[in-house]
């Protein structure tokens, strides 16, 4: 059975060498592995959240598509499409919006960071916050569950969004009585290369320290390489290769033997100018054939459009019938089909619809949350080393009377088992009136009655 892996690329910039080493190259390599059903999409709706320059968005869509194709993405093997070419995605986003608690979105890192920045500046908390920024985790969830991806490779900063996608999908499944959506598995990209930029910091457009991948050709590549900051050791003096970001960049694109040879030369006194030339020559040898394909594609956007339209057609063969199924599930049926007494009815929620949701945190531990019917988080557990321990704790809490299991604790409250707190009120929650504790007890009590 194939494993479906989904990767999204936001179209708001021009790819640089760091993007290639850190995301593009490993994703293309992974897509060629047997047993992998790879989906690659250009997240151009997401780009609108970050960029209000239409020309930049349009140019970026072209550059990114040309880049992925030029570096070897096999569009015949994978499903390669633009997000905006799949109308079922925004439709699904609305269905998911209707089951997503606002409290869940309140906890999104990007939104909280904007609120914190506004507070520091003395502005209204939501100053400049658009609904796109606030609710984009729901759009991200729709991207993933539309195609029931099994695995989604992300950096650590995106773990929360994948957990939110799981929560939203689980909520929909629970409400409508069937596992319509696969719960996606987070794949942490631990081993991808993080390239230093010209100044030694992480290569990033925000630092203006990038090395171009294709744009500007060989001359731009050479000019950037020659601007790499090095120490003051003169030719003939031994260099510290391991602490040189020039060597780090070289090593990311070299074989073990090539990297060892350059390291030896540096330690024997190779001059920095000569080392920069060696790095440029090596990169140019690697990138020149791909750059030629890139510029050929950029000069023929119609070819790219044909590839993307074919990818969209392939994706919609899955999305269109699935969306029809989801429309049926929520009651948006043909009137004739929905008028009979035997029309399918969604499974009713038990009790008040509260539920435990288990998940794996970014450090590999196992936790659970108690969520209210509307998705508000009422409890967050401690970390367990074994998922069976977490499951046993949830069962114990359901078996205890709610007013015994949940006890006030300072300005918050905690879930107690044998005198030990196994879960507490959400981080930052203030419950001086006891309203949250009462709500948590009601939720736990409803589960105990199921």
């Amino acid at each position: 059975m194939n494993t479906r892996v989904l990767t999204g690329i936001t179209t708001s910039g021009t790819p640089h060498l760091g993007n290639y080493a850190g995301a593009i190259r490993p994703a293309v390599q992974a897509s060629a592995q047997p047993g992998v059903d790879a989906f690659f999409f250009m997240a151009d709706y997401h780009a609108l959240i970050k960029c209000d320059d239409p020309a930049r968005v349009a140019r970026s869509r072209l550059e990114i598509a040309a880049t992925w194709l030029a570096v070897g993405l096999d569009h015949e093997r994978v499903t390669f499409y633009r997000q905006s070419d799949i109308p079922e995605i925004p439709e699904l986003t609305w269905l998911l919006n209707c089951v997503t608690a606002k409290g869940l979105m309140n906890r999104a890192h990007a939104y909280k960071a904007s609120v914190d920045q506004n507070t520091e500046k003395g502005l209204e908390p939501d100053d400049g916050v658009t609904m796109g920024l606030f609710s984009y985790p729901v759009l991200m969830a729709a991207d993933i569950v539309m195609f029931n991806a099994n695995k989604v490779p992300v950096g650590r900063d995106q773990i929360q969004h994948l957990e939110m996608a799981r929560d939203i999908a689980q909520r929909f499944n629970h409400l409508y009585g069937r596992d319509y959506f696969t719960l996606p598995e987070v794949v942490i990209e631990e081993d991808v290369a993080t390239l230093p930029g010209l100044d030694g910091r992480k290569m990033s457009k925000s630092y203006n320290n990038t090395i171009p991948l294709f744009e500007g050709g060989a001359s731009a590549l050479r000019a950037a390489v020659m601007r790499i900051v090095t120490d003051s050791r003169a030719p003939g003096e031994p260099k510290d290769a391991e602490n040189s970001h020039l060597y780090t960049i070289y090593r990311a694109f070299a074989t073990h033997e090539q990297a060892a040879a350059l390291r030896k030369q540096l330690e024997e006194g190779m001059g920095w100018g000569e080392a920069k030339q060696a790095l440029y020559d090596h990169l140019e040898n690697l990138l020149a054939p791909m750059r030629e394909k890139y510029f050929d594609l950029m000069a023929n956007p119609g070819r790219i459009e044909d590839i993307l339209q074919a990818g969209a057609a392939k994706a919609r063969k899955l999305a269109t019938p699935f969306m029809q199924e989801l429309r049926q599930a929520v009651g948006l049926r043909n009137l004739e089909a929905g008028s009979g007494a035997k029309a399918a009815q969604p499974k009713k929620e038990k009790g008040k619809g509260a539920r435990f949701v288990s998940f794996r945190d970014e450090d590999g531990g196992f936790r659970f949350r108690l969520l209210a019917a509307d998705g508000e988080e009422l409890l967050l557990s401690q970390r367990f080393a074994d998922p069976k321990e977490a499951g046993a704790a949830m069962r114990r809490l359901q078996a205890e009377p709610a007013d015994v299991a949940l006890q006030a604790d300072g300005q918050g409250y905690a879930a107690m088992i044998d005198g030990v707190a196994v879960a507490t009120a959400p981080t930052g929650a203030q419950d001086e009136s006891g309203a949250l504790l009462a709500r948590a007890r009601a939720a736990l009590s409803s589960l105990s009655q199921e």
Side-chain angles (χ1 to χ4, degrees):
M1 180 178 177
N2 287 345
T3 298
R4 184 164 292 170
V5 181
L6 182 140
T7 301
I9 312 103
T10 305
T11 56
S12 58
T14 302
H16 55 69
L17 197 66
N19 299 140
Y20 174 67
I24 299 173
R25 181 175 62 179
V28 171
Q29 291 171 344
S31 71
Q33 297 298 313
V36 172
D37 181 17
F39 279 59
F40 290 88
F41 71 95
M42 293 195 294
D44 45 0
Y45 280 144
H46 283 286
L48 301 182
I49 299 167
K50 303 177 181 180
C51 180
D52 58 5
D53 181 350
R56 180 180 169 192
V57 171
R59 177 71 179 180
S60 180
R61 295 202 312 169
L62 177 61
E63 290 174 343
I64 288 175
T67 297
W68 282 80
L69 294 169
V71 302
L73 184 69
D74 184 350
H75 62 88
E76 297 286 351
R77 178 185 176 94
V78 308
T79 304
F80 183 46
Y81 58 97
R82 275 180 304 231
Q83 184 186 39
S84 60
D85 287 332
I86 314 297
E88 292 81 7
I89 288 175
E91 184 176 1
L92 176 57
T93 301
W94 181 251
L95 297 190
L96 298 183
N97 265 316
C98 292
V99 303
T100 300
K102 178 178 179 291
L104 184 64
M105 294 297 97
N106 286 343
R107 295 192 295 275
H109 295 324
Y111 172 65
K112 288 176 67 177
S114 293
V115 170
D116 289 345
Q117 289 171 10
N118 284 336
T119 301
E120 289 176 7
K121 295 175 183 177
L123 302 173
E124 288 293 322
D126 286 334
D127 186 70
V129 175
T130 65
M131 285 305 299
L133 173 65
F134 182 72
S135 62
Y136 85 89
V138 184
L139 175 58
M140 184 172 173
D143 291 327
I144 296 166
V145 302
M146 170 58 76
F147 299 106
N148 281 317
N150 304 109
K151 297 185 177 183
V152 183
V154 295
R156 287 195 172 274
D157 61 333
Q158 291 291 317
I159 290 176
Q160 185 195 46
H161 296 134
L162 264 293
E163 294 294 349
M164 286 180 166
R166 287 176 60 90
D167 285 350
I168 293 167
Q170 195 169 43
R171 171 70 172 161
F172 188 98
N173 290 346
H174 181 66
L175 272 174
Y176 295 104
R178 215 183 86 196
D179 288 342
Y180 290 96
F181 300 125
T182 299
L183 302 187
E185 179 183 338
V186 178
V187 179
I188 308 300
E189 297 179 318
E190 299 281 16
D191 300 325
V192 298
T194 300
L195 287 193
L198 304 181
D199 56 2
R201 294 180 292 178
K202 177 183 176 181
M203 191 176 293
S204 170
K205 296 182 186 74
S206 61
Y207 295 146
N208 194 29
N209 67 351
T210 61
I211 296 175
L213 183 59
F214 298 138
E215 286 298 311
S219 60
L221 174 64
R222 188 177 192 282
V225 169
M226 295 302 164
R227 292 200 307 273
I228 294 174
V229 176
T230 56
D231 63 32
S232 59
R233 298 179 203 189
E237 291 185 72
K239 311 297 188 297
D240 182 2
E242 284 301 316
N243 290 313
S244 160
H245 40 281
L246 184 151
Y247 175 71
T248 301
I249 296 171
Y250 184 92
R251 186 173 54 191
F253 298 98
T255 65
H256 177 76
E257 292 74 18
Q258 289 169 330
L262 182 64
R263 176 175 178 164
K264 185 172 184 294
Q265 288 176 297
L266 286 168
E267 290 173 346
E268 291 176 348
M270 180 188 219
W272 287 122
E274 189 180 353
K276 289 179 180 181
Q277 184 63 43
L279 173 59
Y280 163 72
D281 290 340
H282 186 74
L283 291 176
E284 177 61 17
N285 184 58
L286 171 72
L287 299 179
M290 295 188 286
R291 188 193 301 127
E292 183 178 351
K293 293 178 184 177
Y294 172 81
F295 281 119
D296 181 52
L297 287 163
M298 289 292 290
N300 295 279
R303 286 171 52 196
I304 300 177
E305 186 65 27
D306 288 344
I307 290 169
L308 291 172
Q309 288 300 328
K314 186 177 176 182
R316 293 199 69 201
K317 284 182 180 179
L318 299 174
T320 301
F322 187 38
M323 197 65 231
Q324 282 300 110
E325 186 180 350
L326 296 173
R327 287 171 64 85
Q328 291 281 326
V330 302
L332 303 179
R333 311 181 186 99
N334 177 284
L335 293 180
E336 184 178 359
S339 61
K342 294 184 179 180
Q345 295 295 323
K347 179 180 175 183
K348 297 296 184 182
E349 289 187 90
K350 296 181 180 180
K352 294 187 176 295
R355 62 206 183 278
F356 280 117
V357 175
S358 57
F359 65 99
R360 195 165 187 173
D361 66 21
E362 61 187 45
D363 295 319
F366 297 90
R367 294 177 180 265
F368 61 82
R369 299 186 181 101
L370 174 62
L371 302 182
D374 63 2
E376 181 183 7
E377 183 178 316
L378 301 173
L379 279 176
L380 175 64
S381 79
Q382 66 178 31
R383 182 180 295 112
F384 295 89
D386 187 332
K388 293 181 180 179
E389 293 180 60
M394 286 187 279
R395 290 190 293 273
R396 280 287 303 275
L397 290 176
Q398 285 181 259
E400 296 282 349
D403 58 349
V404 174
L406 297 180
Q407 298 292 327
D409 180 18
Q411 293 184 337
Y413 53 89
M416 310 297 293
I417 294 178
D418 298 331
V420 177
V422 297
T424 58
T427 303
Q430 298 292 317
D431 192 32
E432 295 178 4
S433 67
L436 274 178
L437 174 56
R439 192 161 194 229
R441 284 175 172 170
L444 186 59
S445 180
S446 71
L447 290 175
S448 300
Q449 294 168 12
E450 293 185 355

